[in-house]
Amino acid sequence: MDLQAPARQLPLTRTCPFDPPEEYRQLQAEEPISPLAFPDGVTGWLVTRYADVRALLADPRFSSRRRAGLNPVRRVPPELEDSLEAQPGMFIGMDPPDHTRYRRLLTGQFTVRRMNALTPRVAEIVADRLDEMAAAGPPVDLVRSFALPVPSLVICELLGVPYADRARFQQWSAAMLSLATGWKEMMAARDELRAYMLGLVRGKRELPADDLLSGLLCRPDDDALTDEELVNIGVLLLIAGHETTANMLALGTLTLLRHPGQLALLHADPALFDGAVEELLRYLSIVQFGIPRIATEDVELGGTPIRAGDRLIASVMAADRDPAQFTAADTLDVTRAYSPHLGFGHGVHQCLGQQLARVEMRTGLRALLERFPTLRLAVPLDRVRMRDDMFIYGVHELPVTWDS
Amino acid sequence: MRVVVDHDRCQGAGLCALTAPEVFDQSEDDGTVLVLDPAPAAELHDAVRRAAGLCPNAVITVAD
């Protein structure tokens, strides 16, 4: 690769908990496709402008096939590289047509219509959690009492995973997404989660129920899924189904609490909640280490020649703050009329569960703020532990209080 | 306005059905796009253009 500038590591240090690390601003303005030093010493590219990120994610010449070296923040030990290759069913790390086959089996389960039909059940789950919060009385940790249980209960019901087992699978899932987890521990967590899911799949083969995993078992023989495929699909949906939404609920709440003018607008006009959810997705774009791709042929991206085999990180977080795309990009504005954000990604891998996430966030945030109109932080902001160490950004805990 | 979709490339993200539900729906089987109204009325044109712009796989074409 011909380098104009020395490669830098992925910017990680935030000065404001709601904004991307400041280096992104300069990169986006001056060097929007810049050499990026991966932890194994290989140089790739960091892509930060909205137009380039969108083009990259939509272009089939950039592969999503999972390879160990694509992790921009952690070096994978060579002996583990093979085991990190995408397993059957783990479609997030595949390209078409393999990706298409799995995705087509699942998209029918996550349509706008189906997810809207789920709204009353989500509202019940939300109301139950809010009742428990009220009964416990302030202060509470909003992550443990609300933001994590709501999406966890919803995805468990949908998939057919017993919520009673949450202590185990939430711990494994968190270990797999944390930079603080040692590799041995991470592999152990992954293996335990897979073994757990295999037990569920085998149980459902014996006794199918009315849930998504059981539905996937009933396939015609020529298109049946193996236990291994089902396990990996189940693991992927279980992790994706609660880690992401849980963090958007908690960080979204914190963001609104720190923007009282915006919060007042929502209290005055609840019709703004749908747009507010899109704006929070844009403003926070919690997939903080970006989306990895690898070029399968020589390509020009935004005027920069990319060689076959080059690694790229698409920073959706930087792209969603691009002033060339969004007016007052660094301002949270819940009345923003149109927000074509990349918070759910773009292209064929755009989030499968995005309509479910929307229903959970719209229903959950609105009910929370209506039930507790005096909700506020119970500690100073600088005491809130931010998830700088996790692939999905957010807060580790969120101590809140209210006038009871 | 005429609305045309490239059904083969649709991945069923659902942004069209979210943005312009009068014009787009999704198949119950595989979530892919269904065009309910290929010649939508003028008051829907903005929503249809937004839906086309949001589509993650650019499968919606709008011709005036």
Side-chain angles (χ1 to χ4, degrees):
Chain A
M1 182 185 327
D2 305 313
L3 299 184
Q4 288 84 39
R8 75 193 77 208
Q9 294 178 335
L10 195 75
L12 296 177
T13 309
R14 297 180 190 246
T15 46
C16 166
F18 305 112
D19 291 333
E22 295 220 356
E23 279 170 275
Y24 278 108
R25 205 182 303 264
Q26 192 191 352
L27 284 173
Q28 193 173 62
E30 293 170 12
E31 208 182 350
I33 300 179
S34 62
L36 175 68
F38 281 76
D40 59 0
V42 173
T43 300
W45 303 99
L46 178 59
V47 184
T48 51
R49 276 189 190 160
Y50 181 91
D52 295 334
V53 168
R54 204 169 191 267
L56 164 60
L57 295 178
D59 191 330
R61 294 172 297 177
F62 297 105
S63 167
S64 297
R65 199 164 74 73
R66 191 153 149 189
R67 296 165 179 84
L70 280 171
N71 187 327
V73 286
R74 284 195 88 174
R75 181 169 192 171
V76 177
E79 67 272 19
L80 293 179
E81 281 181 15
D82 285 350
S83 73
L84 284 181
E85 295 270 314
Q87 309 288 322
M90 196 55 86
F91 56 91
I92 194 171
M94 294 179 182
D95 294 323
D98 299 333
H99 168 265
T100 317
R101 177 186 170 230
Y102 293 114
R103 182 92 184 206
R104 283 272 164 105
L105 294 177
L106 295 166
T107 35
Q109 305 290 319
F110 291 93
T111 60
V112 172
R113 184 185 294 278
R114 267 188 201 245
M115 294 302 105
N116 285 342
L118 212 59
T119 304
R121 179 62 190 132
V122 173
E124 272 177 18
I125 288 171
V126 165
D128 287 349
R129 300 313 304 180
L130 297 178
D131 286 346
E132 283 198 24
M133 264 175 70
V140 303
D141 171 13
L142 196 77
V143 173
R144 267 195 10 209
S145 57
F146 178 76
L148 186 56
V150 167
S152 203
L153 279 157
V154 172
I155 197 68
C156 280
E157 268 193 30
L158 206 67
L159 285 179
V161 172
Y163 184 66
D165 296 339
R166 65 189 176 279
R168 290 193 289 160
F169 64 69
Q170 284 173 356
Q171 187 194 336
W172 296 325
S173 164
M176 289 167 69
L177 293 175
S178 170
L179 297 182
T181 311
W183 286 107
K184 222 172 134 183
E185 200 187 329
M186 184 176 288
M187 292 295 139
R190 187 194 64 175
D191 293 344
E192 290 199 82
L193 184 48
R194 280 188 188 161
Y196 169 74
M197 194 61 72
L198 181 60
L200 289 185
V201 165
R202 288 188 173 149
K204 287 176 197 298
R205 280 208 196 275
E206 296 285 310
L207 190 65
D210 183 18
D211 57 48
L212 196 153
L213 281 176
S214 298
L216 289 174
L217 292 168
C218 309
R219 309 270 325 147
D221 282 348
D222 60 345
D223 197 25
L225 295 167
T226 64
D227 279 357
E228 192 184 16
E229 289 175 304
L230 286 160
V231 163
N232 285 315
I233 291 172
V235 165
L236 179 56
L237 297 188
L238 184 62
I239 294 179
H242 69 270
E243 284 285 344
T244 47
T245 311
N247 283 296
M248 275 307 300
L249 282 173
L251 185 61
T253 302
L254 175 61
T255 305
L256 290 172
L257 293 178
R258 299 298 294 188
H259 292 78
Q262 299 293 305
L263 189 54
L265 288 172
L266 291 174
H267 279 305
D269 182 6
L272 291 174
F273 267 98
D274 288 5
V277 163
E278 301 304 316
E279 176 64 350
L280 287 167
L281 286 161
R282 179 195 75 83
Y283 188 73
L284 299 169
S285 294
I286 57 176
V287 180
Q288 62 175 338
F289 303 143
I291 301 174
R293 291 287 185 267
I294 192 157
T296 56
E297 54 186 272
D298 293 352
V299 188
E300 193 180 286
L301 179 69
T304 301
I306 309 292
R307 301 266 172 83
D310 281 1
R311 303 171 185 175
L312 305 98
I313 296 294
S315 178
V316 289
M317 179 175 66
D320 277 343
R321 296 295 192 94
D322 186 347
Q325 176 63 34
F326 299 102
T327 310
D330 286 324
T331 304
L332 180 78
D333 177 4
V334 297
T335 67
R336 205 177 278 276
Y338 174 58
S339 183
H341 63 81
L342 304 175
F344 288 123
H346 193 65
V348 297
H349 287 278
Q350 192 184 57
C351 179
L352 170 69
Q354 59 178 291
Q355 309 304 347
L356 176 59
R358 285 190 169 94
V359 166
E360 291 177 312
M361 278 187 273
R362 290 170 173 184
T363 309
L365 284 175
R366 179 170 175 179
L368 171 70
L369 296 170
E370 285 182 354
R371 179 75 174 266
F372 301 106
T374 60
L375 192 76
R376 58 190 179 272
L377 262 183
V379 297
L381 179 61
D382 61 11
R383 295 278 303 279
V384 177
R385 285 200 309 133
M386 306 308 296
R387 289 170 49 112
D388 294 313
D389 55 337
M390 307 293 281
F391 279 87
I392 309 293
Y393 189 58
V395 292
H396 283 289
E397 301 98 19
L398 190 63
V400 292
T401 187
W402 62 89
D403 301 332
S404 52
Chain B
M1 172 184 274
R2 295 290 304 173
V3 179
V4 179
V5 296
D6 180 352
H7 191 268
D8 289 347
R9 290 194 303 111
C10 176
Q11 294 276 337
L15 283 170
C16 54
L18 184 77
T19 308
E22 302 87 349
V23 180
F24 301 102
D25 198 351
Q26 291 172 275
S27 147
E28 286 284 316
D29 287 338
D30 62 7
T32 53
V33 62
L34 301 171
V35 179
L36 304 175
D37 183 358
E43 65 267 24
L44 298 172
H45 288 187
D46 281 353
V48 170
R49 285 200 186 88
R50 279 184 181 181
L54 285 170
C55 176
N57 300 296
V59 307
I60 302 169
T61 310
V62 176
D64 288 303

